[in-house]
């Protein structure tokens, strides 16, 4: 008996936008509904911190040390098929690194060899409203173009962290997002809180078109997802299903747009405990080019181990009890920052 393809949902969005928070909520909702989700986690660094945060019970494939849309893209199909074979999930959530261009992942998931096994249902892009505003004011740069592409290719958009902006600024960002994507519904969120059913579309049982499958989009609508960096040419301001027929067809994009190649990742393994106050002071001095950092640390002045998360000048520390042997390690992600200087600053934390 021929089985139906496994639904796949892609979580996109720039570094620190709130993708992992949304992923956790999505998994909790799926499990509470008696479903059997699986996850593909992608990290630029060598350690899956977000996977550690999710816990050991999650059915997961890890793709580390590169971006899923290019460096490790060839492994994505293999990992998806292995998840299906080993766990028989009824849905798969892919959380790409924040530096990923969704177009490349769409091409991989919709490869001819995958069509009978998986069905790409939705591309959910999470946008940090304040960070978008910052880059929109600059109006240029590789990060700005990448954010534009991530928004342009979305089926659903979460304009997240709207509590950190005045209403007028939030409305301005919503207008900008709508300019870049004339079709995807936009939801303002705080802490990525949203009714998960809004992300998945209609209940199971309808046709592929009713589900809003990326592959089911009709060429007759005339819309397109210009993931190569061009603005949408829709001419409509009403919301309906976003047509990915252009976005998902590799022949429309003979060249791969690795627009995130400017993004750098530096991984540092610590040889022992460090002073917490000196660490926090160092994090406060990080250059603007470091957008995101995360890691697991042991401090000299406390018995607990901590996971830290850093995004756009904000540092959060959380006590953890990791399972198994987990080294003290940190990953710093950004663009055009001085890795050598950062390494010296980190090594200085261990000096007496």
């Amino acid at each position: 008996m021929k089985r139906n393809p496994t639904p796949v949902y892609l979580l996109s969005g720039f570094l620190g936008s709130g993708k992992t928070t949304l992923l956790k909520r999505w998994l909790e909702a799926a499990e509470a509904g008696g479903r059997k989700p699986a996850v593909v986690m992608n990290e630029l660094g060598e350690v899956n911190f977000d996977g550690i945060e999710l816990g050991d019970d999650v059915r997961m494939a890890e793709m580390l040390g590169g971006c899923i849309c290019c460096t490790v893209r060839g492994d994505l199909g293999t990992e998806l098929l292995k998840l299906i074979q080993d766990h028989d999930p009824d849905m798969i959530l892919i959380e790409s690194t924040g530096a990923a261009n969704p177009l490349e992942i769409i091409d991989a998931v919709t490869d001819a060899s995958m069509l009978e096994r998986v069905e790409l249902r939705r591309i959910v892009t999470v946008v940090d409203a304040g960070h978008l505003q910052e880059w929109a004011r600059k109006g240029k740069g590789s990060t700005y173009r990448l954010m534009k592409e991530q928004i342009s290719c979305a089926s659903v958009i979460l304009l997240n962290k709207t509590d950190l902006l005045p209403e007028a600024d939030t409305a301005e960002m919503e207008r900008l997002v709508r300019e870049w994507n004339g079709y995807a519904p936009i939801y303002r969120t705080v802490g990525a809180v949203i009714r998960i059913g809004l992300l998945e579309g209609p209940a199971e049982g309808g046709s592929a078109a009713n589900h809003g499958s990326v592959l089911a989009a009709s060429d007759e609508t005339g819309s397109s997802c210009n993931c190569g960096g061009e603005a949408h040419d829709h001419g409509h301001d009403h919301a309906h299903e976003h047509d990915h027929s252009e976005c998902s067809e590799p022949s429309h994009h003979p060249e791969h747009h690795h627009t995130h190649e400017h993004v750098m990742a530096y991984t540092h393994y610590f040889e022992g405990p460090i002073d917490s106050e000196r660490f926090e002071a160092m994090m406060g001095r990080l250059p603007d080019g470091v957008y995101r950092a995360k890691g697991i640390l042991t401090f000299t002045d406390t018995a607990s181990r901590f996971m830290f998360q850093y995004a756009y000048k904000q540092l959060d520390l959380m006590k953890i009890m990791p399972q198994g042997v987990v080294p003290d390690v940190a990953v710093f992600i950004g663009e055009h920052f001085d890795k050598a200087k950062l390494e010296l600053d980190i090594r200085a934390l261990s000096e007496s």
Side-chain angles (χ1 to χ4, degrees):
M1 179 178 176
K2 185 177 178 181
R3 58 169 290 165
N4 293 327
T6 302
V8 172
Y9 299 89
L10 170 61
L11 274 67
S12 177
F14 200 67
L15 302 161
S17 60
K19 295 188 302 300
T20 304
T21 300
L22 176 61
L23 175 62
K24 290 168 66 177
R25 298 186 187 282
W26 204 330
L27 288 172
E28 290 169 0
E31 295 281 2
R35 302 167 71 186
K36 190 178 176 183
V39 176
V40 176
M41 296 287 293
N42 178 219
E43 295 272 13
L44 281 173
E46 301 168 7
V47 183
N48 183 8
F49 296 111
D50 293 336
I52 294 172
E53 189 176 347
L54 292 178
D56 294 332
D57 297 332
V58 177
R59 307 164 193 89
M60 185 185 306
E62 299 177 329
M63 302 181 69
L64 308 178
C67 185
I68 198 172
C69 76
C70 56
T71 310
V72 295
R73 177 186 174 212
D75 299 331
L76 178 57
T78 301
E79 294 295 342
L80 288 171
L81 294 179
K82 189 173 187 301
L83 272 177
I84 294 171
Q85 179 179 339
D86 293 348
H87 301 290
D88 191 27
D90 49 27
M91 64 185 298
I92 298 175
L93 304 174
I94 301 175
E95 183 186 347
S96 62
T97 174
N101 183 334
L103 171 63
E104 311 292 345
I105 307 172
I106 294 167
D107 283 352
V109 175
T110 59
D111 185 83
S113 64
M114 302 292 296
L115 295 184
E116 292 188 353
R117 304 302 303 274
V118 299
E119 178 187 35
L120 183 57
R121 289 277 179 86
R122 292 283 191 278
I123 301 160
V124 179
T125 296
V126 186
V127 181
D128 181 327
H131 191 218
L132 175 62
Q133 182 184 52
E134 175 187 335
W135 280 99
R137 287 172 175 171
K138 296 178 182 178
K140 60 182 179 180
S142 300
T143 297
Y144 177 73
R145 292 194 298 272
L146 176 59
M147 293 178 75
K148 187 174 182 180
E149 290 168 1
Q150 291 173 338
I151 290 169
S152 296
C153 274
S155 311
V156 180
I157 298 168
L158 272 63
L159 188 61
N160 198 29
K161 306 183 184 181
T162 54
D163 56 322
L164 302 179
L165 285 182
E167 167 59 29
D169 291 354
T170 300
E172 179 187 359
M173 291 304 97
E174 185 171 350
R175 286 192 294 271
L176 178 61
V177 170
R178 176 56 68 215
E179 178 183 329
W180 291 349
N181 186 321
Y183 289 88
I186 302 169
Y187 300 102
R188 297 186 186 185
T189 58
V190 175
V193 175
I194 188 171
R195 185 163 59 84
I196 298 302
L198 296 173
L199 307 180
E200 297 184 19
E204 297 292 330
S207 68
N210 288 334
H211 287 316
S213 166
V214 170
L215 295 180
S218 168
D219 289 332
E220 295 176 1
T221 63
S223 64
S224 65
C225 167
N226 295 286
C227 292
E230 298 298 325
H232 275 44
D233 184 20
H234 292 311
H236 303 287
D237 57 6
H238 58 283
H240 55 80
E241 291 297 340
H242 184 194
D243 176 13
H244 286 279
S245 56
E246 297 277 338
C247 185
S248 60
E249 178 55 58
S251 63
H252 290 287
H253 302 274
E255 298 179 1
H256 294 307
H257 304 282
H258 298 320
T259 55
H260 65 278
E261 289 178 347
H262 62 293
V263 175
M264 306 159 59
Y266 170 66
T267 302
H268 184 90
Y269 289 88
F270 294 84
E271 297 179 358
I274 59 175
D275 182 84
S276 62
E277 291 186 2
R278 292 171 68 179
F279 171 74
E280 291 186 36
M282 186 209 75
M283 297 298 291
R285 297 191 302 268
L286 286 177
D288 292 341
V290 177
Y291 302 143
R292 188 87 163 91
K294 46 193 170 181
I296 294 176
L297 301 172
T298 303
F299 294 123
T300 56
D301 47 347
T302 177
S304 300
R305 298 188 75 191
F306 286 81
M307 173 178 286
F308 79 89
Q309 299 272 357
Y310 172 90
Y312 313 110
K313 302 298 183 182
Q314 293 185 343
L315 175 66
D316 292 314
L317 291 161
M318 176 177 62
K319 286 185 180 180
I320 60 166
M321 291 188 294
Q323 303 296 314
V325 179
V326 180
D328 283 358
V329 60
V331 176
F332 297 82
I333 304 169
E335 57 181 341
H336 308 308
F337 62 88
D338 189 338
K339 288 185 180 181
K341 173 65 165 56
L342 179 58
E343 181 179 6
L344 288 174
D345 289 345
I346 294 174
R347 292 192 180 281
L349 298 176
S350 302
E351 297 175 357
S352 57

